[in-house]
Amino acid sequence: MASQIPVSSTLRIDFETGLNEKGALVFKRRAFSNIKVEATADQLFSSAVAISSVQNYPMGEVTRVDTYSLIG
């Protein structure tokens, strides 16, 4: 049976930068790597809110991307 070991986490924040010519929302993504794999969802969301408070655009979606090493 395979097992997985957490290797890294990345916090991605999408900011709403405006509308395109068709009226659809346009986003700009910022990625923050070297996030502790032990960080909780609440801690990451609080960090995203703090980061967005000093940005020019409103925060859209917040995503966590985890990478694992699989061992057989």
Side-chain angles (χ1 to χ4, degrees):
M1 177 188 231
S3 61
Q4 59 186 18
I5 299 171
V7 175
S8 65
S9 287
T10 300
L11 176 64
R12 293 191 321 199
I13 306 171
D14 292 338
F15 294 98
E16 298 176 10
T17 59
L19 301 174
N20 65 12
E21 61 279 348
K22 296 181 181 179
L25 282 173
V26 176
F27 294 94
K28 181 175 182 177
R29 177 173 287 166
R30 301 292 307 245
F32 302 90
S33 57
N34 297 323
I35 303 296
K36 290 185 178 182
V37 294
E38 300 86 13
T40 66
D42 286 335
Q43 290 170 330
L44 290 179
F45 192 77
S46 294
S47 298
V49 170
I51 292 167
S52 70
S53 70
V54 296
Q55 299 296 311
N56 294 329
Y57 301 109
M59 182 173 67
E61 185 175 19
V62 178
T63 309
R64 177 184 189 153
V65 179
D66 291 325
T67 305
Y68 293 91
S69 180
L70 299 177
I71 298 174

